[in-house]
Amino acid sequence: MTEQPKRVRVHHLLAAKQRGERLTMLTAYDAVTARIFDEAGVDMLLVGDSIGNTMHGHATTLPVTVEDMIPAARAVAGAARRAFVVVDLPFGSYEASAQQALETGVRIMKTTGADAVKLEGGRRSAAQIRALTEAGIPVVGHLGYTPQSENLLGGPRVQGRGDNEAERISEDAMAVAEAGAVAVVLEMVPAPVAARVTEIVAIPTIGIGAGAECDGQVLVWVDMAGMGDWSPRFAKRFGEVGAALRAAAVAYVDEVRGGTFPDDEHSFLA
């Protein structure tokens, strides 16, 4: 971002879109990675409910609770000095009503120090977005493949194929923007559909598997860094951190078992 703010805030996101500058977002679930990504210049840190898959060993995001999200969000917000910190509202914490969403959002904002919350859904979530916004809580929307609805969608499948589905996503994006969202994530959406949404909404679009024409991009950090043996098709591996960590662990085990660690250099001799 040209302006290079000391702290990224809502108006910087909009200004970046207006200038045609790409925004960057990564997930983070702890202070260590949050600090690294923040110092690297990442604009937005997402404390995603993907913590369920990546950190807690769940098959989906559905088991994740507000109680799971709060410690992670507190750690990330506490470590970030520049990045705009967004926290997912997990499944079951906002769908029932605007009041439920407001109560969850207020709790997260008060207990974590985050800058915004994120929730899934378009027109069906407009009332929740409006209630949060009117209370002073910035909201990021999430359209396309919405992991909390994966049982209804039939798993992680591309959304927005065909004219009717493309129009639905466009209408949902307009509803999210009109309700007051400050940005919207587009996940696993055909690139032309995401480009059209980016053109018609005034707020930034953040793509993940949605092509190059979005206003920004987000990846789950373990996919970005190559932590596992497999990554989604849309997730470029920008490093092989998993292999490096495995090699370090193997070296540690070998040296401890072989009696070469600790040596004099790593001991207190007097």
Side-chain angles (χ1 to χ4, degrees), residues 96-111:
S97 65
Q99 182 62 32
Q100 184 195 29
L102 180 58
E103 290 173 357
T104 304
V106 167
R107 182 182 176 195
I108 286 176
M109 297 294 283
K110 286 176 71 70
T111 58

Side-chain angles (χ1 to χ4, degrees), residues 168-223:
R168 177 183 63 80
I169 288 181
S170 293
E171 291 174 356
D172 278 340
M174 290 297 295
V176 164
E178 290 170 0
V182 300
V184 59
V185 170
L186 302 176
E187 181 168 358
M188 295 181 66
V189 172
V193 177
R196 173 59 178 161
V197 171
T198 301
E199 179 183 2
I200 65 175
V201 297
I203 60 175
T205 58
I206 310 296
I208 177 167
E213 297 305 312
C214 294
D215 297 305
Q217 297 293 326
V218 59
L219 285 175
V220 173
W221 87 260
V222 295
D223 295 331

Side-chain angles (χ1 to χ4, degrees), residues 65-130:
T65 66
V66 175
E67 287 68 29
D68 292 329
M69 297 300 298
I70 286 176
R74 187 184 292 122
V76 172
R81 295 293 176 264
R82 175 183 175 275
F84 187 83
V85 178
V86 182
V87 182
D88 267 337
L89 301 189
F91 177 68
S93 71
Y94 64 93
E95 294 91 341
S97 65
Q99 182 62 32
Q100 184 195 29
L102 180 58
E103 290 173 357
T104 304
V106 167
R107 182 182 176 195
I108 286 176
M109 297 294 283
K110 286 176 71 70
T111 58
T112 69
D115 300 302
V117 299
K118 182 170 78 65
L119 52 77
E120 297 181 0
R123 284 163 289 183
R124 67 178 173 86
S125 297
Q128 286 89 330
I129 295 171
R130 188 170 294 109

Side-chain angles (χ1 to χ4, degrees), residues 3-255:
E3 189 178 344
Q4 289 299 312
K6 292 183 179 179
R7 185 88 194 193
V8 178
R9 300 189 182 276
V10 168
H11 63 282
H12 297 126
L13 306 180
L14 181 58
K17 179 183 177 81
Q18 293 170 343
R19 289 193 299 262
E21 295 181 5
R22 294 292 189 262
L23 293 161
T24 57
M25 175 188 270
L26 284 173
T27 63
Y29 315 107
D30 58 71
V32 175
T33 51
R35 187 172 296 109
I36 291 170
F37 300 155
D38 187 66
E39 292 174 353
V42 176
D43 300 313
M44 308 169 76
L45 295 178
L46 172 61
V47 188
D49 59 358
S50 51
I51 192 174
N53 310 78
T54 59
M55 300 291 139
H56 294 174
H58 299 310
T60 72
T61 65
L62 297 179
V64 176
T65 66
V66 175
E67 287 68 29
D68 292 329
M69 297 300 298
I70 286 176
R74 187 184 292 122
V76 172
R81 295 293 176 264
R82 175 183 175 275
F84 187 83
V85 178
V86 182
V87 182
D88 267 337
L89 301 189
F91 177 68
S93 71
Y94 64 93
E95 294 91 341
S97 65
Q99 182 62 32
Q100 184 195 29
L102 180 58
E103 290 173 357
T104 304
V106 167
R107 182 182 176 195
I108 286 176
M109 297 294 283
K110 286 176 71 70
T111 58
T112 69
D115 300 302
V117 299
K118 182 170 78 65
L119 52 77
E120 297 181 0
R123 284 163 289 183
R124 67 178 173 86
S125 297
Q128 286 89 330
I129 295 171
R130 188 170 294 109
L132 288 160
T133 301
E134 289 176 352
I137 300 174
V139 181
V140 175
H142 187 148
L143 300 173
Y145 171 62
T146 47
Q148 293 175 10
S149 301
E150 79 157 32
N151 288 327
L152 185 63
L153 298 175
R157 302 171 62 189
V158 174
Q159 303 296 306
R161 286 181 167 143
D163 292 343
N164 290 340
E165 284 299 297
E167 183 62 24
R168 177 183 63 80
I169 288 181
S170 293
E171 291 174 356
D172 278 340
M174 290 297 295
V176 164
E178 290 170 0
V182 300
V184 59
V185 170
L186 302 176
E187 181 168 358
M188 295 181 66
V189 172
V193 177
R196 173 59 178 161
V197 171
T198 301
E199 179 183 2
I200 65 175
V201 297
I203 60 175
T205 58
I206 310 296
I208 177 167
E213 297 305 312
C214 294
D215 297 305
Q217 297 293 326
V218 59
L219 285 175
V220 173
W221 87 260
V222 295
D223 295 331
M224 178 278 298
M227 285 292 287
D229 297 327
W230 175 88
S231 297
R233 173 184 170 183
F234 56 76
K236 180 177 179 178
R237 297 167 73 97
F238 287 83
E240 292 297 334
V241 178
L245 186 59
R246 188 180 300 111
V250 168
Y252 166 75
V253 169
D254 288 345
E255 291 200 16

